[in-house]
Amino acid sequence: MKISELSPEYRQPPPHAGLLIDLNRVVADVEAFDTSDSSSPEKLAADLRRLLTNLASAASSSSGLDEAFRLKVWHLAFRLWNACVDRANHSFPSRVAEAEIRQAAPELLLIAGLPEDIPNAPAKAASFFHRTGLVWLDLGRADLASACFEKATPLVSAADTEEDRAVLLDLNLARARAASIAGEQALAVALLSRSKPLAAASPEGVKALAEEYLRIGQAALVTKPPDPALDASNLLTEALDLCEKVAASPTTPTTPGSTPATPNLQVIKDQCIRFLAVERLEAKDYEGTLRCISVWRTSLGLGEEHPSIGFMALRACLGSGNLVEAERELETLMANAGAPDFVCVSAAELYLASTGPDAAFKVLVALAARCRAGAAAAAVRVLKKVVETAGGGTGRARAIAELASDERVIKLFDGPANSHERNTMHALLWTCGTEHFHAKNYEICADLIERSMLYVSRDEESRSRRANCFRVLCLCHMALRHLDRAQEFITEAEKVEPNIRCAFLKFKILLQKKEEDEAIKLMKTMVGYVDFNPEFLTLAIHEAIACKSVRVAIAASTFLLGLYSAGKPMPMTEAAVLRNLIALLLREPGSEAEILKYSRRAKLRMAELGVEDVCGKGTVGLRERNWFAVNIWNMAIKMAKEKKYDYCTEFFELAAEFFSSGNGEDDANRLLVCKSLIMSVSAMFLTEELNKSPLSDSDLKRGIEMLGRAGKLPSATVTSDQLEDNNLPFLHTLNFYKLLNRMDTTAHPQQLQLVKNFAASKACAPGHLLKLEEIASQGTQPNLQVAEFLLKACITTALASHSPNYGIISFALRRLACLAGLQDSSGSMSDAVYDVFRQAYQIVVGLRDGEYPFEEGRWLTTTAWNKSSLASRLGQRSIARKWMKMGIDLGRHFESMKQYVSGMEEYFERFQKVSGKEPDECSQQDGAPSTSLSGSVSQPGLA
């Protein structure tokens, strides 16, 4: 039997037939795709990805793909591509899915390879990749587009045929565009440079290459990359050169008898020249800008010029300082009917920014003729630019004033339609005038304000504006000491709008004219004004003080305080009046007594009427009370710096009263109360020291009461870690101790308890304890018990710290040893002194060399050794032996003393031999003979 005679079920199917069936099915689905099914594109794209994976696996297998199979794949890929093109015209629901399906076609061609039966297969496959990449670029996926271009490039890189070269050129240009979008400008330029030989064969290719150079040059003009190879000028010049080469070279007719196929490159050339002009202008190469514009105008001929060219030419002329040419360019621009009004106004602003107000009138006239619909608005913009660039010079300010007051300019603002422009013009001149007012150019200010009134109507709505102008004119002439003229203007202001401000200005004029009786009379009439406010009386006091009119100041103060005494309703609190008065006094040197007087008055009124009645309720009252407290505190600090400690004491005590008044005594205020009380007592001691007079019994009692009150506040002890350097609890303890020190010895137990409480607090520091010990051990009635406690506490506290200060520890040990010697009449035989040295020995054991101070270590060693000498002379051999051993042990732990240790040990051995044969004086019975070692062994002393 032959194989062909077998039943169909026994025949073998061709290799990979299933893949072709699946692929044909999916292509058919794409061809029959229904746009109403939104899920289909994603499903089709997924099916194609799966088939591509399977085909790639089959192609890489040992059997591979035969020629017939590959031709069928190519056929299906073309069907898929055509279906995608057809579907694209009917809008796929998902552009991304459409691009994925479209990319499957060139991917199939790439997997199937290049069959020999298909003419120019590489170019066709590369073209599919190129067009798919363009779709990805439109979707903003430059990465996927670049991947398509890079897959296609090797297919046509040999450039064997004209079609290959055309496709390769398109790929290079597309890759350059994708690289530029991705920010890889250097790669884009390299690809364009690589495309020059390919583009040379075709004018259209040169045009496409020039367009890409122009596009990347525009991008470089915006981003300004640091790489000199990506200079916008070079890229734009390259595009322009390509256009020139195409225009200069003859082209071959496409068909016999036809004309040369030269593309229209004028648009690209014009864009290159314009952007080159922009680049040169940004680089401040004004001559280069003008050359570009000249070339552009030459190529344009008699055609209508784009307004941007004239605008750039104006900027370049101004930049190069050629104002004559700039004026011509401005005139040309305004004569250009196609130029928008805003461009002409912007050009006028630029021109006037360089020329100043001298040329402003001519420009305004031209704008009025050019901008018929908005002449007033254009005039406002131009004048605004003139004002902004005029600076503070008086000559230019006068020119602005003359320009604004010219009848022809004022005429531009006539009519109700220009009401907004008139208000803007007035505001412009008003702002300029006030700037000169603040610069104290009062004549210029007055001139500009008067001219600004030309743009203020006389209707009812403008009354307030006219009154403001008159008041400013009054202020200017007051500053110029033209008091009669100032009085005339304020009188006009009162006619327009009588109010308290006009009355107050008239009051100031009377003060300056030294007409005190008239000023006082006018001040009394201020209450009758509708907008009267007691603040004006406070200001009147200040003005009177400034004019050195004491009588008027006293009258104003009495009148103001009389309003409160009469119980009249007042818009401001009595505390505010006192605050203003104290604030004025704070500016006057040497007014401490007056400030203290009015501060006490404020505190007295708060005590009599209540804080809320004097200061106000809620946050307003709290703010007033805090103002007094803070400023009195600051005054106390100031008095301390000036060493006026008597005032300092009073101000600190008064500050404590303000901080504790009312219901605002929170933790922060309690802390300030505590601090104020403690600082007040400190100032008392400084006053005593400065005046060299002891504190009276009443002062001592007052100080103890203040410190007792401060000690009851938890902020003084519990939250002391919030204070800088924890000095507040220390000052409290120090001052309290010093006050108790003024009493007899009955206060000694109280002093001991005081320092014990401080030593147990978080605020305690070794340095504080040493300071307290110094006070405790001095004076006519030293408290040695307190001193001993403080020294021991100092050593304990210092040793407990993370980084012990052995300078403080050694100093405290020396003081403690000396104190123990004072308390024990037996001198060197004192066990208390020995205990101190033994404690010192325990401390120095294990320390690195240099940690314990050298001098203190030397003192410990020499003192211990020398004490043994004294005991030896007295025949106290056991005590001498004990001190010798202590001195040797200490010396071994100090590098600087080790040179003496060997001699000390040698002597100690000799001493041991001698002392072992002789009885100790301390052990002899009464009446037994005493033997001294001084005759048998001579002990060397340590200095």
Side-chain angles (χ1 to χ4, degrees):
M1 181 181 290
K2 298 180 181 178
I3 295 177
S4 59
E5 296 175 356
L6 291 173
S7 299
E9 58 269 19
Y10 292 101
R11 297 177 184 174
Q12 293 293 330
H16 315 302
L19 291 176
L20 285 176
I21 295 171
D22 291 344
L23 182 59
N24 185 68
R25 177 184 54 77
V26 174
V27 172
D29 290 343
V30 174
E31 291 172 332
F33 170 66
D34 183 7
T35 56
S36 63
D37 187 359
S38 60
S39 63
S40 293
E42 286 74 14
K43 180 178 182 300
L44 292 173
D47 291 342
L48 286 170
R49 284 196 297 269
R50 176 177 54 79
L51 285 171
L52 286 171
T53 302
N54 293 338
L55 279 172
S57 177
S60 61
S61 64
S62 58
S63 59
L65 303 177
D66 57 22
E67 188 70 14
F69 188 93
R70 289 192 292 162
L71 286 172
K72 290 179 181 180
V73 172
W74 269 70
H75 175 69
L76 290 172
F78 269 83
R79 281 179 56 194
L80 178 62
W81 178 266
N82 293 332
C84 289
V85 173
D86 291 340
R87 293 299 121 191
N89 296 329
H90 295 85
S91 301
F92 263 56
S94 173
R95 295 290 306 278
V96 174
E98 180 243 344
E100 290 179 355
I101 294 172
R102 182 186 289 265
Q103 186 171 344
E107 295 287 356
L108 286 170
L109 300 181
L110 191 64
I111 293 173
L114 305 174
E116 296 178 356
D117 295 339
I118 297 179
N120 211 353
K124 289 182 171 59
S127 178
F128 278 16
F129 272 118
H130 169 249
R131 285 185 278 179
T132 303
L134 294 180
V135 172
W136 283 121
L137 275 182
D138 292 339
L139 293 176
R141 294 300 303 271
D143 53 339
L144 297 178
S146 296
C148 288
F149 301 147
E150 289 166 4
K151 287 180 180 179
T153 300
L155 298 174
V156 292
S157 59
D160 295 330
T161 66
E162 189 69 27
E163 187 176 359
D164 287 352
R165 286 191 290 272
V167 174
L168 182 58
L169 175 61
D170 291 340
L171 285 170
N172 284 347
L173 297 180
R175 287 182 65 193
R177 181 182 170 192
S180 178
I181 293 173
E184 299 175 358
Q185 305 296 342
L187 175 59
V189 173
L191 288 168
L192 294 184
S193 179
R194 193 183 304 171
S195 303
K196 288 181 182 179
L198 298 171
S202 166
E204 290 296 337
V206 175
K207 179 182 177 182
L209 182 59
E211 287 177 341
E212 289 302 324
Y213 267 112
L214 175 60
R215 181 182 292 109
I216 297 177
Q218 289 174 318
L221 193 60
V222 175
T223 58
K224 295 179 177 58
D227 189 351
L230 304 178
D231 182 60
S233 177
N234 295 336
L235 295 170
L236 294 170
T237 303
E238 190 71 40
L240 188 60
D241 290 344
L242 288 170
C243 295
E244 296 292 344
K245 288 178 182 178
V246 173
S249 62
T251 56
T252 304
T254 56
T255 59
S258 64
T259 58
T262 302
N264 184 10
L265 299 175
Q266 189 60 40
V267 175
I268 300 177
K269 289 174 62 177
D270 291 347
Q271 289 181 341
C272 289
I273 294 173
R274 284 174 59 191
F275 283 111
L276 274 173
V278 172
E279 188 274 334
R280 289 293 84 200
L281 189 61
E282 290 183 355
K284 296 183 179 181
D285 179 9
Y286 303 116
E287 295 299 329
T289 304
L290 292 173
R291 283 195 298 271
C292 291
I293 292 172
S294 177
V295 172
W296 190 89
R297 284 173 172 170
T298 302
S299 64
L300 181 66
L302 298 176
E304 186 176 352
E305 181 176 281
H306 193 277
S308 64
I309 296 298
F311 192 79
M312 281 194 293
L314 173 67
R315 289 183 59 188
C317 291
L318 292 175
S320 61
N322 193 341
L323 298 181
V324 176
E325 286 297 324
E327 185 178 359
R328 291 199 191 99
E329 292 291 348
L330 180 61
E331 292 174 354
T332 303
L333 182 62
M334 288 191 176
N336 188 347
D341 288 350
F342 74 90
V343 173
C344 295
V345 176
S346 298
E349 289 177 321
L350 285 175
Y351 177 71
L352 291 175
S354 298
T355 60
D358 298 334
F361 182 75
K362 185 177 180 180
V363 173
L364 275 177
V365 172
L367 281 175
R370 178 71 170 70
C371 312
R372 297 184 184 278
V380 168
R381 283 189 60 180
V382 171
L383 284 173
K384 184 177 180 181
K385 177 58 64 175
V386 172
V387 169
E388 288 175 353
T389 58
T394 58
R396 290 195 168 190
R398 293 190 188 280
I400 293 169
E402 292 175 4
L403 178 65
S405 60
D406 190 279
E407 293 182 358
R408 289 165 292 187
V409 175
I410 297 173
K411 191 175 181 180
L412 296 175
F413 294 85
D414 287 345
N418 294 322
S419 175
H420 175 72
E421 284 72 21
R422 278 198 303 273
N423 292 338
T424 305
M425 190 67 177
H426 165 74
L428 190 64
L429 294 170
W430 169 273
T431 303
C432 185
T434 53
E435 287 176 359
H436 282 278
F437 181 85
H438 293 307
K440 299 183 179 180
N441 298 327
Y442 300 114
E443 290 186 10
I444 302 299
C445 174
D447 194 15
L448 288 167
I449 295 298
E450 282 196 75
R451 307 302 171 95
S452 73
M453 294 182 71
L454 296 172
Y455 297 89
V456 180
S457 59
R458 294 180 176 272
D459 54 14
E460 187 68 21
E461 294 179 357
S462 302
R463 286 180 58 190
S464 177
R465 194 175 299 170
R466 288 177 58 81
N468 284 339
C469 290
F470 282 126
R471 280 194 291 270
V472 174
L473 288 169
C474 171
L475 289 171
C476 289
H477 286 284
M478 285 176 64
L480 295 170
R481 307 300 297 175
H482 302 159
L483 300 181
D484 293 336
R485 185 71 172 144
Q487 198 160 6
E488 291 176 7
F489 280 117
I490 202 61
T491 302
E492 291 295 326
E494 280 189 311
K495 292 177 182 178
V496 176
E497 190 181 55
N499 54 32
I500 188 65
R501 287 177 291 175
C502 295
F504 184 73
L505 284 177
K506 185 179 286 187
F507 171 79
K508 290 179 66 175
I509 294 171
L510 293 173
L511 279 178
Q512 293 185 17
K513 295 175 74 173
K514 302 299 181 183
E515 298 178 6
E516 294 185 348
D517 293 335
E518 293 297 324
I520 293 173
K521 189 185 300 183
L522 177 62
M523 182 177 57
K524 292 180 180 179
T525 63
M526 288 183 184
V527 183
Y529 285 89
V530 178
D531 56 344
F532 169 76
N533 191 314
E535 186 73 21
F536 283 97
L537 290 177
T538 304
L539 294 174
I541 297 170
H542 179 62
E543 290 294 332
I545 294 173
C547 294
K548 299 182 180 179
S549 182
V550 179
R551 191 162 68 90
V552 176
I554 293 174
S557 301
T558 304
F559 183 65
L560 182 60
L561 292 176
L563 294 178
Y564 289 95
S565 301
K568 294 182 179 181
M570 303 291 285
M572 58 192 304
T573 62
E574 186 175 359
V577 178
L578 289 168
R579 169 172 55 80
N580 292 335
L581 183 56
I582 292 174
L584 291 172
L585 291 170
L586 284 171
R587 303 176 185 177
E588 298 292 327
S591 58
E592 300 86 10
E594 292 296 312
I595 295 173
L596 185 60
K597 170 186 172 182
Y598 287 108
S599 300
R600 284 174 174 167
R601 176 189 173 94
K603 186 66 188 73
L604 179 63
R605 294 290 288 171
M606 291 180 192
E608 291 175 350
L609 305 176
V611 176
E612 290 188 351
D613 289 342
V614 177
C615 297
K617 296 181 180 180
T619 57
V620 176
L622 184 62
R623 186 170 61 248
E624 291 289 352
R625 178 183 61 80
N626 286 342
W627 187 92
F628 280 105
V630 169
N631 281 274
I632 291 171
W633 169 273
N634 292 336
M635 193 65 189
I637 298 295
K638 180 183 177 183
M639 293 296 98
K641 292 179 179 179
E642 296 178 1
K643 297 185 178 181
K644 297 179 180 179
Y645 298 120
D646 49 349
Y647 283 116
C648 180
T649 302
E650 298 290 340
F651 278 117
F652 270 126
E653 186 176 4
L654 194 58
E657 296 298 325
F658 276 102
F659 280 124
S660 62
S661 62
N663 56 0
E665 190 175 337
D666 53 11
D667 289 341
N669 274 356
R670 282 195 293 270
L671 187 61
L672 289 170
V673 171
C674 174
K675 194 170 184 179
S676 300
L677 293 171
I678 294 171
M679 297 301 290
S680 180
V681 177
S682 298
M684 287 173 59
F685 286 113
L686 293 172
T687 304
E688 178 188 43
E689 181 180 349
L690 184 65
N691 297 335
K692 300 188 184 304
S693 60
L695 296 176
S696 63
D697 292 340
S698 60
D699 289 336
L700 292 175
K701 182 179 179 182
R702 183 160 60 106
I704 290 175
E705 288 176 355
M706 285 192 287
L707 291 180
R709 179 184 168 192
K712 294 177 183 178
L713 295 173
S715 297
T717 54
V718 177
T719 62
S720 60
D721 56 334
Q722 299 174 353
L723 301 176
E724 294 182 4
D725 301 329
N726 294 327
N727 280 333
L728 186 56
F730 168 67
L731 287 176
H732 176 267
T733 304
L734 177 67
N735 290 335
F736 216 142
Y737 192 95
K738 289 166 72 174
L739 287 173
L740 293 174
N741 224 19
R742 305 299 176 93
M743 303 179 182
D744 54 20
T745 56
T746 57
H748 280 194
Q750 191 175 354
Q751 287 177 325
L752 180 60
Q753 187 59 44
L754 178 68
V755 298
K756 283 184 177 181
N757 292 339
F758 175 70
S761 69
K762 295 180 180 179
C764 176
H768 295 156
L769 297 174
L770 283 181
K771 180 65 177 177
L772 290 170
E773 185 274 334
E774 181 183 356
I775 297 174
S777 59
Q778 293 177 354
T780 56
Q781 297 177 347
N783 193 337
L784 299 183
Q785 187 180 5
V786 169
E788 181 183 2
F789 170 80
L790 288 170
L791 289 171
K792 290 180 179 180
C794 173
I795 296 170
T796 303
T797 304
L799 288 173
S801 66
H802 294 295
S803 300
N805 186 337
Y806 290 102
I808 291 179
I809 294 171
S810 62
F811 181 77
L813 285 169
R814 180 189 283 217
R815 296 275 300 173
L816 185 61
C818 296
L819 184 63
L822 290 174
Q823 290 180 299
D824 197 324
S825 60
S826 62
S828 62
M829 293 183 292
S830 169
D831 290 336
V833 177
Y834 185 79
D835 290 341
V836 174
F837 276 82
R838 185 171 56 184
Q839 183 181 9
Y841 173 75
Q842 292 170 348
I843 291 172
V844 300
V845 170
L847 291 182
R848 295 189 302 272
D849 185 44
E851 280 192 90
Y852 200 90
F854 163 74
E855 291 296 333
E856 295 299 326
R858 181 184 180 88
W859 181 85
L860 285 173
T861 305
T862 55
T863 303
W865 183 260
N866 292 338
K867 281 184 178 292
S868 68
S869 176
L870 177 61
S872 176
R873 292 192 186 98
L874 295 175
Q876 301 169 342
R877 290 185 296 278
S878 61
I879 294 176
R881 188 181 301 109
K882 178 173 64 174
W883 281 110
M884 283 183 193
K885 192 173 184 307
M886 176 61 71
I888 293 171
D889 290 343
L890 285 168
R892 288 171 180 161
H893 291 281
F894 298 110
E895 190 69 27
S896 59
M897 296 301 296
K898 287 184 178 179
Q899 57 181 324
Y900 304 105
V901 171
S902 59
M904 296 163 68
E905 290 175 340
E906 182 181 348
Y907 175 80
F908 182 69
E909 291 177 0
R910 286 188 283 124
F911 179 81
Q912 286 281 67
K913 293 177 181 179
V914 175
S915 61
K917 301 176 182 178
E918 299 180 11
D920 192 335
E921 180 181 300
C922 296
S923 62
Q924 290 179 359
Q925 297 179 354
D926 293 340
S930 175
T931 304
S932 174
L933 292 177
S934 59
S936 58
V937 179
S938 177
Q939 178 181 357
L942 292 179

